[in-house]
Every structure is written in C-alpha cells, then in structure tokens.
Amino acid sequence: MSATDDDALLDLDHRTGWPADLRVLLERYPREVWEEHPNLGDLSRFWLGRHDMFRELNTGLLSAADQLKAGTVPAEAFRTWFVPRIQFFLRELHGHHMIEDHNYFPMLTATEPRLARGFEVLEGDHEMIHTGLLSLQEAGNGLLQALAGPKDRVQYAADGMSDALSGFLKSLHRHLGDEEDLIIPILLDRGEGALGH
Ligand SMILES: [Fe+2]
Ligand SMILES: [Fe+2]
C-alpha cells in the first residue's frame, strides 16, 4: 500500500481506529486500566470531561433539532434553548482545538515521537471538523431566519440542521475517541509532565 492510500485510510471519514504502529502504547494501557491508574491526574480528567461535554452537547443539540423537525417543540422555545448552546458549542470546540494544536500536540509529539503520525492525523481532523463547524454555523443562521418565516421553510431548515448535526456527531465521536486512545496512554506512561504540567 502506498503512503497516499494509507493516509486516505486514516482520514476522519474512513478510519476505524488506529493502525498497529500507533497502538503501541494503547496495547500497554488499554481503556480498562485508565480509571484506576495513579498517573490519571486532574488535567487528564478535566480534558476527558471536556470531551464528554462535547459529546453530550452535540447529542442534545441533535435531539432538539429532531424535535423541531418532528414538530413536537414550538419554534420560539426551540430558538431560546438552541441559540446559546450552539454558540457555546462552536466557540468552545474551536478553543479546545487551538490548545491541542498549539500546546498539547507539539509537547506530546516531542515526548513520544513514535506516535507523531497520529498527531498529524488528529490535526487534519481538526481542519475537517472546522469545516463542519462552519457548515453548522451556516445551518444555524439559515434555521434562525427560517424560524421567522413560513412553516415549510422551517421544516426544510430543521431537516438541514438535523443532517448537519448527525454527520458532525459521527465525525466528532471518531475524533474524540481516537484522540483519547493516542494521548491518555502517553500520559499514563510518562505522567502529566508530558503536557508541561
Ligand atoms: Fe482534538
Ligand atoms: Fe480534544
């Protein structure tokens, strides 16, 4: 297999986890041991908590969009609930990626150069996710405009938002899970000093 084929298999829409060469530490520190490991410190727990928050928020936004689509929630109640949460989601996720790209990934790559390719893949994910965030933003603006208009326009915009959020959720789950599988084993092996703490 050529490097290009291999890279394509590792992009966010195609991969189904890490290949063997990027699982060297994960084999030694599988998920089952994380919770009890003495090196799982406050920073790691905080970071895992942020990931859980992003998963829950995406799921909550999707369920709200589906309720609007099904007509089980009034448009105005939906808008009041949805707007601050999607804005928070977009802003926080963007900030989270900035810290990872500029701080965590370079430090972790220097700590464990064998996993450098994994961090390049994760950075590529961030770019794809950023494009997804822009589409969500656009779908959000379209939906807000539609809420003030006729019912069929609301239906069309709600369908678009539901599709955008469910596609995004799938990519986000893949990214967060793989990121944890790459990073937590390094932190358990070396301690949180690997993140400059
Ligand atoms: Fe990330
Ligand atoms: Fe992350």
Side-chain angles (χ1 to χ4, degrees):
M1 190 185 293
S2 75
T4 318
D5 290 342
D6 199 25
D7 288 348
L9 286 176
L10 280 183
D11 79 32
L12 188 56
D13 289 337
H14 296 104
R15 70 174 186 269
T16 51
W18 295 119
D21 59 319
L22 297 175
R23 296 177 58 89
V24 280
L25 281 180
L26 182 61
E27 301 292 343
R28 215 182 313 155
Y29 302 97
R31 276 187 180 256
E32 304 83 78
V33 308
W34 293 3
E35 187 53 44
E36 301 297 323
H37 198 287
N39 278 353
L40 191 82
D42 290 345
L43 185 71
S44 312
R45 288 178 193 281
F46 172 77
W47 181 76
L48 287 169
R50 296 290 286 173
H51 278 191
D52 285 341
M53 188 271 285
F54 289 129
R55 290 179 179 103
E56 280 165 28
L57 197 48
N58 196 155
T59 303
L61 290 164
L62 176 58
S63 129
D66 284 343
Q67 284 176 47
L68 181 74
K69 193 170 129 178
T72 55
V73 60
E76 204 42 52
F78 170 83
R79 177 213 284 269
T80 308
W81 187 92
F82 193 79
V83 170
R85 283 169 182 80
I86 190 140
Q87 283 171 349
F88 174 82
F89 181 65
L90 298 172
R91 190 177 61 235
E92 293 296 311
L93 197 54
H94 179 68
H96 179 78
H97 289 169
M98 295 293 278
I99 294 173
E100 290 178 343
D101 285 343
H102 297 294
N103 296 85
Y104 292 179
F105 290 1
M107 277 190 256
L108 289 162
T109 303
T111 302
E112 187 47 89
R114 284 180 301 171
L115 302 183
R117 190 162 67 110
F119 288 106
E120 283 165 22
V121 170
L122 293 173
E123 264 195 64
D125 288 357
H126 287 175
E127 279 175 36
M128 287 186 74
I129 288 174
H130 186 71
T131 307
L133 285 174
L134 295 177
S135 317
L136 280 181
Q137 196 141 30
E138 237 169 72
N141 292 338
L143 185 56
L144 288 186
Q145 283 166 11
L147 284 174
K151 223 168 176 258
D152 60 332
R153 257 194 81 202
V154 176
Q155 187 68 46
Y156 179 79
D159 287 352
M161 179 50 101
S162 169
D163 289 349
L165 278 166
S166 75
F168 194 80
L169 183 63
K170 193 167 163 265
S171 303
L172 188 68
H173 268 265
R174 174 87 268 156
H175 173 72
L176 296 175
D178 289 344
E179 193 169 81
E180 291 163 5
D181 283 345
L182 200 72
I183 291 180
I184 295 293
I186 303 177
L187 299 179
L188 297 186
D189 197 61
R190 313 292 167 88
E192 289 188 348
L195 285 175
H197 288 259

